């Protein structure tokens, strides 16, 4: 993708449907993107169906998150108290700017101007890298996918698979330019090895490491970081200073609740039974300094929006993206927001209704997202509700407002939503006018992705017999 | 008002009515744990050996590693083939470790994860910085799911602990699985007893 276009998306200037057009210029790539994510989705199904207690886990996780949101102030204070006892410094940041300033002040205090960072969607949301660059700090993203998009000067296009939009030949070219691999080399094994060597040098020489947080336990003050690569641990165990940045909604009440969430997270994300590493950080190691930054940045506002507060239950597994027919055919960059896909489309308007008014329309409301969500967020309901809010507030063009009525009609037919996954396919197959009608702004002339005749679940059931 | 006060006040003003915190009891399976453990671990790229004792572990490792390579272990049983791990020294000094041999406290059959608390490795970086990792786990410490693992961990006050499942890996390039991202390139699990 052309760089200016990508940067433009990043600034939120363009609309989803127009950006999706850019992505759709390369038909082969779109097909590949679509199929690859569907493959990840299928792995998720297989992992979920292998656990008889899957639905019980989802329901429990959902209830725990409801409890957390309803008592968040108490849990945050309990977490802070425990973290302080553990010898960790706790910071509170009202918004992205304050978060970035806190990180910068810690760097300055230690006279550090080079750091490593493992995956943190929050720092993407806060545009930390750009901020630090302006202040003369070099940040190296150490997750392989993130390093790739960083070298390409692009934002990640997926919260779990940051460079899923890139072909290996393009990655080979980037590595040839930046890491000195042979021209034309595109073997994933060789490229990964080159990145390993390059990043190992970074781990060994940087004195400050920043990580994200997957879960923070109120009861103990510990936080858990999940990676497959081991980059969060390589960074933090070698650095003099470890900063962990987290949104305030990452809190869970008890350590034992990890037994619920860790069973759901990786299975939902990639179909793995668990990530390779689930690292529990409670105290700094001897001689190390550890900081936690608790970030609001609009979360308390979302908490107050009754129809949308449940989006704060999200554990960032990415399942709703992998299953979304619109995401798969339009690519993460078309959402011009740090978090793409269905969940990004309900989080973004909370921060800026005007800039992200297009996103809740980037959906067929097929409901597949809500079906796979491990914490049972009513994602497609919220997309529908955002449309109403955005129309009412005057952020939506008349064409879209019309299209919305057609969608509302489909939505109102309970038969189609009783089994949303199946229904989505039925709607696409028999009622194409509903989804590819001119009035549905997302589709324009584009064809819907061909719905698979049978879902993985159906196939799996049949194959097992 | 500080940001802390502002955030807490906003949460108080905006949070919904109190919802109950659920407890969950998942039915426990006790059968076929070792078989399940092996199948899941091998499925994610680990090698699994069932052994009678540490002598067998040493024999198996000696077949794959040269004495000239740097091997470290905090376990006294391995003092004849591995150097000890001194706590508190510069973690960077382990950058050239080829093999680390450590003990896990708990194994989980549903996902093959092994619980390795800080005390079992002396230095947090050890299971990550080594090129290859070997972990011993007692047969009777393998439980079916993470929930049982956490009830065994209970209230223990560790500074750091990690569940490790398989060697480090990535599929970031076109979803092609590559073992050995930043951490160990291989994981050998020895089920002892
Ligand atoms: S909304 Fe649900 S499915 Fe989507 S990323 Fe969040 S937790 Fe996963």
């Amino acid at each position: 993708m052309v760089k200016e276009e990508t940067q433009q998306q990043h600034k939120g200037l363009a609309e989803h449907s127009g950006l999706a057009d850019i992505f759709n210029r390369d038909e082969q790539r779109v097909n590949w993107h679509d199929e690859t994510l569907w493959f990840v989705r299928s792995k998720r199904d297989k992992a979920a169906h292998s656990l008889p207690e899957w639905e019980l886990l989802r329901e429990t996780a959902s209830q725990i998150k409801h409890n957390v949101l309803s008592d968040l102030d108490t849990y945050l204070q309990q977490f802070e108290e425990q973290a302080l006892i553990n010898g960790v410094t706790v910071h509170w940041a009202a918004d992205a700017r304050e978060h970035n300033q806190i990180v910068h002040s810690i760097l300055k205090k230690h006279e550090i101007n080079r750091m490593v960072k493992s995956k943190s969607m929050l720092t993407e949301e806060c545009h930390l890298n750009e901020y630090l660059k302006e202040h003369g700090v070099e940040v190296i993203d150490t997750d392989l996918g993130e390093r790739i998009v960083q070298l390409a000067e692009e934002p990640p296009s997926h919260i779990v698979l940051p460079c899923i939009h890139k072909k290996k030949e393009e990655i080979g070219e980037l590595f040839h330019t930046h890491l000195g691999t042979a021209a034309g080399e595109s073997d994933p094994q060789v490229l990964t090895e080159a990145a390993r060597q390059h990043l190992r040098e970074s781990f060994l020489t940087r004195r400050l490491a920043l990580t994200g947080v997957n879960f923070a336990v109120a009861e103990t003050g510990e936080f858990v970081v999940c990676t497959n690569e081991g980059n969060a641990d390589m960074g933090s165990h070698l650095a003099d200073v470890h900063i962990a940045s987290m949104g305030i909604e990452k809190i869970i009440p008890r350590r034992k609740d990890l037994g619920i969430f860790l069973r759901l997270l990786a299975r939902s994300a990639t179909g793995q039974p668990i990530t390779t590493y689930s690292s529990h950080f409670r105290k700094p190691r001897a001689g190390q300094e550890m900081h936690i930054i608790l970030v609001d940045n609009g979360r308390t506002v979302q908490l107050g929006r009754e129809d949308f507060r449940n989006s704060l239950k999200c554990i960032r597994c990415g399942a709703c993206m992998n299953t979304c027919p619109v995401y798969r055919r339009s690519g993460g960059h078309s959402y011009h927001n740090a978090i793409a896909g269905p969940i990004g489309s309900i989080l973004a308007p909370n921060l800026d209704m005007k800039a992200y008014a297009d996103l809740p329309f980037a959906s067929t409301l097929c409901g597949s997202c809500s079906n796979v969500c491990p914490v049972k967020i009513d994602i497609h309901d919220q997309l529908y509700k955002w449309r109403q809010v955005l129309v009412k507030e005057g952020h939506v063009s008349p064409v879209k407002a019309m299209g919305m009525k057609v969608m509302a009609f489909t939505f109102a037919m309970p038969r189609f939503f009783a089994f949303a996954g199946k229904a989505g396919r039925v709607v696409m197959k028999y009622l194409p006018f509903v989804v590819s009608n001119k009035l549905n702004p997302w589709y324009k002339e584009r064809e819907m992705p061909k719905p698979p005749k049978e879902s993985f679940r159906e196939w799996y059931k049949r194959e097992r017999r | 008002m500080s940001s802390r006060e502002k955030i807490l006040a906003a949460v108080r003003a905006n949070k919904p009515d109190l919802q109950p915190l659920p407890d969950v009891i998942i039915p426990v399976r006790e059968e076929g744990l070792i078989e399940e453990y092996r199948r899941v671990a091998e499925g994610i790229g680990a090698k699994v050996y069932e052994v009678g004792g540490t002598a067998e572990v040493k024999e198996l490792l000696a077949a794959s590693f040269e004495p000239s390579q740097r091997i470290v272990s905090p376990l006294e049983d391995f003092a004849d083939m591995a150097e000890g791990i001194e706590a508190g020294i510069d973690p960077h000094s382990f950058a050239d470790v080829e093999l680390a041999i450590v003990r896990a406290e708990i194994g989980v059959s549903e996902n093959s994860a092994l619980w390795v608390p800080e005390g079992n490795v002396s230095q947090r970086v050890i299971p990550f910085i080594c090129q290859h990792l070997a972990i011993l786990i007692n047969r009777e410490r393998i439980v079916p799911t993470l929930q049982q693992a956490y009830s065994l961990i209970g209230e223990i006050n560790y500074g750091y602990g990690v569940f490790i499942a398989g060697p480090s890996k990535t599929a970031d390039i076109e979803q092609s699985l590559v073992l050995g991202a930043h951490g160990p390139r291989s994981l050998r699990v020895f089920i002892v007893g």
Side-chain angles (χ1 to χ4, degrees):
Chain A
M1 202 175 286
V2 188
K3 204 180 283 169
E4 294 91 78
E5 285 173 342
T6 316
Q7 279 164 355
Q8 198 189 30
Q9 297 159 28
H10 205 39
K11 292 196 186 97
L13 296 176
E15 280 230 338
H16 179 271
S17 53
L19 293 166
D21 275 345
I22 300 172
F23 188 68
N24 273 265
R25 275 181 211 156
D26 185 346
E27 186 66 26
Q28 261 186 331
R29 182 194 299 260
V30 177
N31 290 340
W32 180 84
H33 189 263
D34 182 17
E35 281 157 24
T36 307
L37 288 163
W38 185 256
F39 171 66
V40 178
R41 151 80 209 263
S42 311
K43 287 197 293 184
R44 172 259 169 221
D45 287 353
K46 195 176 168 187
H49 299 322
S50 70
L51 286 191
E53 61 267 39
W54 185 255
E55 288 306 318
L56 179 57
L57 288 171
R58 279 180 81 211
E59 181 56 34
T60 310
S62 170
Q63 285 180 24
I64 294 172
K65 284 285 185 179
H66 279 296
N67 167 265
V68 168
L69 294 180
S70 74
D71 206 10
L72 188 57
D73 52 328
T74 313
Y75 287 132
L76 282 167
Q77 290 174 91
Q78 189 189 3
F79 176 76
E80 179 189 42
E81 195 186 310
Q82 290 303 314
L84 292 173
I85 293 171
N86 296 335
V88 180
T89 309
V90 180
H91 308 259
W92 300 70
D95 52 25
R97 199 184 150 72
E98 191 174 5
H99 165 264
N100 296 347
Q101 285 168 345
I102 292 167
V103 174
H104 190 215
S105 71
I106 298 168
L107 284 155
K108 274 197 296 200
K109 182 182 132 198
H110 292 273
E111 295 176 0
I112 294 173
N113 59 10
R114 303 189 308 169
M115 58 177 271
V116 286
K117 178 160 87 61
S118 72
K119 195 145 71 200
S120 147
M121 288 316 297
L122 177 63
T123 59
E124 291 295 329
E125 177 188 319
C126 294
H127 299 288
L128 175 70
N129 285 17
E130 291 92 321
Y131 177 91
L132 290 178
K133 196 173 170 192
E134 276 166 30
H135 289 83
V137 178
E138 178 218 61
V139 181
I140 292 190
D141 283 322
T142 57
D143 172 84
L144 177 58
E146 285 211 319
R147 185 65 183 140
I148 290 166
V149 290
Q150 187 180 36
L151 291 175
E153 296 178 45
E154 290 174 17
S157 68
H158 187 293
I159 57 176
V160 175
L161 319 164
C163 70
I164 191 69
H165 61 291
K166 283 239 172 292
K167 301 292 293 175
K168 59 177 192 261
E169 291 75 18
E170 296 169 287
I171 298 167
E173 234 170 84
L174 278 172
F175 279 25
H176 173 60
T177 311
H178 296 277
L179 308 183
T181 52
E185 180 60 70
S186 66
D187 179 358
Q189 188 92 38
V190 176
L191 297 178
T192 302
E193 181 62 30
R196 176 183 169 100
Q197 302 299 341
H198 151 68
L199 288 166
R200 205 172 168 86
E201 192 273 333
S202 309
F203 289 128
L204 288 166
T205 50
R206 303 309 190 258
R207 290 167 48 219
L208 185 142
L210 188 145
T211 67
V213 169
N214 288 94
F215 305 100
V217 182
E219 174 187 74
T220 59
E222 73 199 289
F223 57 92
V224 174
V225 183
C226 303
T227 75
N228 281 319
E229 299 182 8
N231 54 321
D233 289 273
M234 277 295 273
S236 56
H237 302 324
L238 289 168
D240 301 336
V241 185
H242 177 186
I243 304 175
S245 294
M246 59 176 273
I248 52 172
E249 83 284 16
K250 295 282 175 195
I251 297 269
I252 57 172
R254 306 161 294 198
R255 183 186 273 168
K256 70 175 181 188
D257 297 326
L258 290 165
I260 304 286
F261 288 102
L262 291 180
R263 296 190 73 191
L264 288 164
L265 179 61
R267 287 185 173 99
S268 299
T270 58
Q272 293 171 255
I274 189 169
T275 50
T276 306
Y277 305 108
S278 309
S279 305
H280 301 48
F281 294 88
R282 186 165 185 181
K283 300 170 190 170
R285 68 165 199 277
Q288 188 194 39
E289 209 176 281
M290 195 181 273
H291 298 261
I292 294 171
I293 311 178
L294 297 163
V295 184
D296 179 349
N297 204 37
R299 286 162 176 77
T300 51
V301 176
Q302 189 88 322
L303 187 64
R305 292 195 166 114
E306 200 183 331
D307 283 343
F308 305 111
R309 68 163 59 106
N310 288 349
S311 59
L312 295 171
K313 289 157 69 185
C314 176
I315 58 170
R316 302 285 190 269
C317 72
C320 57
M321 305 181 172
N322 304 339
T323 200
C324 176
V326 175
Y327 175 86
R328 281 185 285 136
R329 302 287 305 179
S330 60
H333 288 159
S334 65
Y335 294 79
H336 57 95
N337 178 46
I339 299 179
I343 181 65
S345 301
I346 48 183
L347 293 173
N350 175 58
L351 286 173
D352 187 339
M353 273 193 221
K354 191 159 181 265
Y356 300 110
D358 55 323
L359 293 187
F361 294 88
S363 164
T364 64
L365 301 182
C366 73
S368 183
C369 46
S370 308
N371 267 5
V372 296
C373 178
V375 287
K376 292 192 156 183
I377 299 174
D378 50 343
I379 307 169
H380 72 292
D381 284 336
Q382 291 192 36
L383 286 166
Y384 180 66
K385 285 175 187 160
W386 263 125
R387 292 181 186 188
Q388 292 172 310
V389 172
L390 293 164
V391 169
K392 210 150 95 209
E393 306 265 324
H395 294 304
V396 179
S397 71
V399 177
K400 259 185 201 156
M402 269 287 277
M404 204 178 82
K405 281 189 193 136
V406 179
M407 299 307 291
F409 165 74
T410 323
F411 194 66
M413 296 165 81
R415 195 156 73 89
F416 289 120
F417 278 87
F419 306 98
K422 207 169 190 171
R425 291 197 304 282
V426 174
V427 172
M428 282 189 262
K429 213 164 142 202
Y430 298 111
L431 301 174
F433 65 92
V434 175
V435 286
S436 54
N437 189 288
K438 246 210 289 297
L439 294 178
N440 181 350
W442 190 77
Y443 281 94
K444 301 204 293 188
E445 275 90 76
R446 228 171 278 122
E447 286 294 333
M448 269 304 276
K450 216 163 82 230
K453 287 221 180 57
E454 61 182 350
S455 72
F456 183 84
R457 184 197 307 235
E458 288 157 350
W459 173 85
Y460 188 62
K461 266 211 320 247
R462 187 164 56 77
E463 286 300 295
R464 251 197 328 196
R465 271 191 222 131
Chain B
M1 203 158 50
S2 70
S3 291
R4 180 184 186 277
E5 296 316 314
K6 254 194 279 180
I7 293 168
L8 288 172
V11 170
R12 269 178 222 121
N14 291 341
K15 66 180 183 177
D17 294 341
L18 189 66
Q19 306 282 314
L21 178 60
D23 244 315
V24 69
I25 295 139
I26 306 275
V28 184
R29 304 159 287 115
E30 289 293 358
E31 247 123 81
L33 296 188
I34 304 297
E35 292 70 29
E36 182 182 42
Y37 185 92
R38 175 188 282 279
R39 177 171 50 78
V40 176
E42 288 174 350
I44 57 176
K47 294 193 189 103
V48 181
Y49 306 86
E50 287 171 61
V51 296
T54 43
E56 238 177 287
V57 178
K58 278 190 226 177
E59 230 171 83
L60 285 160
L61 289 174
S64 304
F65 295 89
E66 302 292 325
S68 61
Q69 293 173 311
R70 189 170 178 199
I71 301 175
V72 298
S73 176
L75 301 170
E76 273 176 25
D77 280 357
F78 289 84
D80 55 343
M81 72 178 290
E83 61 178 280
I85 300 169
E86 201 182 320
I89 63 167
D90 181 3
H92 293 81
S93 62
F94 298 99
D96 60 346
V97 167
E98 187 67 17
L99 170 69
I101 309 162
V102 304
R103 188 179 278 285
E105 290 301 316
I106 304 165
V108 184
S109 68
E110 66 161 331
N111 55 23
S112 82
L114 296 160
W115 175 247
V116 182
E118 184 167 26
N120 287 31
V121 286
S122 297
Q123 290 259 1
R124 295 178 186 187
V125 81
I126 288 295
F128 302 93
I129 204 166
C130 58
Q131 297 290 330
H132 300 274
L133 180 61
I135 304 184
L136 281 64
I137 176 75
N138 283 345
R139 178 177 279 266
E140 70 273 16
R141 295 291 286 181
I142 294 183
V143 298
T145 78
L146 275 180
Q147 279 148 317
Q148 287 84 48
Y150 279 106
S151 55
L152 285 181
I153 294 170
E155 317 267 287
I156 295 173
N157 188 358
Y158 48 75
Y160 169 85
V162 57
F163 277 112
I164 300 177
S168 99
K169 60 173 165 283
T170 179
D172 274 344
I173 302 177
E174 285 199 7
Q175 284 297 294
S176 308
L177 181 66
V178 180
L179 300 184
H182 302 302
R185 302 170 188 273
S186 74
L187 172 68
R188 290 170 173 79
V189 180
F190 297 96
I191 301 175
V192 184

